[in-house]
Amino acid sequence: MAKKQFKAESKRLLDLMINSIYTNKEIFLREIVSNASDAIDKLCYKALTDDQVGLNRDDFRIDIILDKNARTITVRDNGIGMSKDEAENNLGVIAKSGSYAFKNEMTDSGKEEEDLSIIGQFGVGFYSAFMVSDEVTVITRKYGEETAVKWQSKGADGYTITDCERDSAGTDVIMHIKADGDDEDFSAYLEPWKIRTLIKKYSDYVRWPIKMDAEHQERFDTGEKDEKGEPKYEYRTVTENETVNSMIPIWQRSKKDVSDDDCIQFYKEKYHAQKNPAALVRVNAEGAVSYKAMLFVPGETDEFYMFREEKEGITLYSNGVMIMEKCDKLVHDYFDFVKGIVDSPDLSLNISREILQHDRQLKTIGQNLEKKIKGELEKLMKDDRPAYEEFFKNFGVQLKCGVCDEFGRNKDFLRDLLLFYTSENRLISLKEYVGNMPESQSAIYYASADTVKHAMSLPQCEEVRSRGYEMLYLSSALDEMVIENLMEQDGKKFCNVVTDDLGFETDEEKKAAEERNTESKELLDFIRESIGDEISKVRLSAKLGSQPCALTTEGGVTLEMERYFSRGPSEEMRSIKATRVLEINPDNSLVKALQDAYTSGDKEKAGALSGILNTLSKLMAGVEIEDPAEFTRQISNLF
Ligand code: ADP
């Protein structure tokens, strides 16, 4: 019989499939089962208006038949089937839809190996059978026709098509499984457990029953008696035809049929979670884009969460068929802790990454879902503050990164979800902070160090607190970057108590302070020189309360940022340093002692006291001191 050739573009794709080095070959089953399900949809629809079909809804099914000896997997459906022309056109040519676009994309980019991974995610339909088979036979009979056709192909060199017999309408796709290779175990696809696993994973929610024979051990009475006169039992293997898929996905069912508790149960089982989710989002959207979503904000995290490249994320389904296990394009990274399912009949199975990225419908779904997730989180913050704070401890870093990412583009969407420490154990939102501000307060005051406790002990905080104003205590460079990005809250600017003008001094006071600094210039220069280059300037300060000194910075880089950059990957990054300024309190006895030593000409003592002030300022700012033993010696030498 003459072999027919595939169209050029199909041949190319087929070549890729056959020689695919891609590891995720298992998706072939999803593709073939989806085709079967679509074919049943079509006939079922026809049956609504055509009595001749003679099948009820309950009669439709997909059978999977494994034959280890013959090395075949058969996927059988009693759907609409194909005529000879259709078989030729549909199976001999790449479908016009996604597959074709996929192929073009691949040709354009010329990076075949990389692009092969796309196959695994989006599938290219029927041809994927050739990833695991060395021969595919399709026996199909179109509804309403008397004869059936047999389409057969061993791959890229072409196919044959002949008439044959089939009892009723429907299609058998018979895949002859390849021999095992060096590191490819194709035989596994002939194992019932493997096929069951794949059905569960990819096709669990296909609307039609997917049936398979399953072997069970059954106890039976032999009719004989044992020595005690009891009936004698033995076991035998029985084969039962079972439905493997669960068919109706929980997220497809209406809210009145499925309680929130059911959803929580589903979440715990699916994601092996110990704790209940912090929030649940259920959406049933109809309109320009129709979709159903069931999303969860986890109630717990593990220590590796931040480092895990592959987050569990959101799984995309189209009509119950999984099309993408982790869709990282649906919501922004700041919500990447959200897990769950989005199912939309508007998404096609054959969709390339390119299309997905620019898919308007997907964008709309993503935006809507983000609003819903935010809404649930705000509700949690209002109704169950401890739970929200727990959530924020788990995933707040993501939200903070989200504020800084993309040049701060999403900061206004996220700002109301942020919390900051206002004392060692109390978290506050920016809205709450501004709401608590007395009329006399004009700015949002914050201090930053490596820990909240440290930030609280910074001497510059004293003056703010003594006025009865609240403070925000930041404990990371990320916190500082968040504040820098946010810029203001409800019209109130942020003020770093270490580096910014607190705004408490009048112009006269400022002028007087400046004059005092000028008067003491000689002493201040002496201190700076005794300390050396690590300090760029020494100045008198009136905002240190009871403390003798404080380390502050000038310019854009703060001590926290310096600490952050010091852990950076490049030498260039690690060399970024803050410009340090030592502030000293002229009213403090230690500073007075220094001044006395200097004026009385005891430069040695004045120099030693300068060094002590510098080390003290570092200790208070949480900066590591290089030589604690030397510091101890300096102190003891004084007495
Ligand atoms: P797609 O499903 O994206 O159209 P496929 O390569 O999977 O691409 O299938 C091509 C076409 O072959 C389908 O659109 C359908 O018309 C036909 N087809 C495949 N499998 C079956 C089947 N089991 N029953 C009827 N038609 C089928």
Side-chain angles (χ1 to χ4, degrees), residues 8-274:
E9 69 271 25
S10 313
K11 194 165 183 299
R12 195 173 134 63
L13 184 59
L14 211 49
D15 270 339
L16 268 170
M17 287 291 174
I18 295 162
N19 303 314
S20 168
I21 45 143
Y22 186 58
T23 47
N24 196 23
K25 296 184 164 131
E26 61 187 34
I27 56 106
F28 78 95
L29 191 64
R30 170 193 82 173
E31 300 294 314
I32 301 301
V33 166
S34 296
N35 283 346
S37 169
D38 291 346
I40 295 178
D41 283 348
K42 286 179 194 154
L43 189 57
C44 182
Y45 183 71
K46 206 171 186 58
L48 296 176
T49 53
D50 181 351
D51 295 341
Q52 300 292 311
V53 174
L55 290 169
N56 291 320
R57 247 198 100 82
D58 297 346
D59 300 327
F60 291 109
R61 56 189 275 172
I62 297 165
D63 287 284
I64 299 189
I65 303 137
L66 302 181
D67 186 336
K68 265 193 198 173
N69 294 331
R71 283 189 79 79
T72 56
I73 305 177
T74 301
V75 176
R76 170 175 298 160
D77 67 72
N78 53 354
I80 190 109
M82 282 174 274
S83 65
K84 195 169 189 174
D85 278 355
E86 282 170 341
E88 190 142 7
N89 285 329
N90 294 339
L91 308 180
V93 185
I94 297 181
K96 303 104 226 142
S97 60
S99 322
Y100 189 68
F102 163 79
K103 192 228 114 211
N104 276 343
E105 209 178 272
M106 199 142 53
T107 320
D108 289 348
S109 74
K111 287 185 293 181
E112 289 179 4
E113 277 187 23
E114 209 171 275
D115 292 330
L116 273 170
S117 67
I118 299 173
I119 298 168
Q121 302 211 6
F122 307 107
V124 279
F126 175 74
Y127 287 147
S128 58
F130 285 101
M131 291 200 288
V132 298
S133 322
D134 49 22
E135 183 177 56
V136 179
T137 308
V138 179
I139 294 173
T140 182
R141 179 172 154 190
K142 171 102 176 169
Y143 167 73
E145 292 192 3
E146 288 307 312
T147 52
V149 287
K150 179 174 173 180
W151 181 100
Q152 201 159 32
S153 170
K154 284 196 160 76
D157 64 337
Y159 61 92
T160 58
I161 192 158
T162 46
D163 290 341
C164 70
E165 298 288 310
R166 198 181 191 277
D167 283 350
S168 53
T171 303
D172 284 19
V173 177
I174 306 155
M175 292 164 273
H176 186 266
I177 299 302
K178 287 183 187 177
D180 294 338
D182 286 342
D183 28 43
E184 299 249 41
D185 178 17
F186 292 110
S187 298
Y189 296 122
L190 296 163
E191 298 293 340
W193 67 265
K194 175 75 179 177
I195 297 299
R196 270 165 198 279
T197 314
L198 295 184
I199 299 285
K200 277 278 173 208
K201 182 169 175 190
Y202 293 105
S203 312
D204 198 31
Y205 304 115
V206 164
R207 282 185 298 283
W208 309 105
I210 302 172
K211 297 196 174 255
M212 260 177 81
D213 279 347
E215 289 184 347
H216 292 294
Q217 294 296 306
E218 186 186 73
R219 201 174 77 148
F220 71 100
D221 188 347
T222 54
E224 294 166 24
K225 303 266 185 246
D226 63 13
E227 48 286 6
K228 288 188 199 139
E230 302 283 334
K232 233 170 122 180
Y233 290 105
E234 270 180 22
Y235 285 87
R236 66 182 164 205
T237 306
V238 289
T239 306
E240 272 178 286
N241 195 245
E242 285 180 350
T243 301
V244 185
N245 56 330
S246 37
M247 293 195 278
I248 304 179
I250 184 167
W251 62 88
Q252 290 263 1
R253 290 159 65 191
S254 72
K255 280 193 186 177
K256 71 175 181 358
D257 293 338
V258 179
S259 69
D260 283 359
D261 281 348
D262 292 336
C263 300
I264 289 169
Q265 204 48 44
F266 167 78
Y267 160 81
K268 284 178 145 176
E269 276 168 25
K270 186 167 166 65
Y271 299 105
H272 310 290
Q274 303 288 321

Side-chain angles (χ1 to χ4, degrees), residues 303-322:
E303 56 187 310
F304 302 114
Y305 165 75
M306 286 304 292
F307 307 104
R308 212 180 303 129
E309 297 227 324
E310 297 248 324
K311 307 264 159 71
E312 259 160 334
I314 297 175
T315 310
L316 278 189
Y317 282 80
S318 169
N319 267 331
V321 176
M322 188 180 88

Side-chain angles (χ1 to χ4, degrees), residues 291 346 633:
Y291 66 94
D346 299 337
R633 218 171 355 246

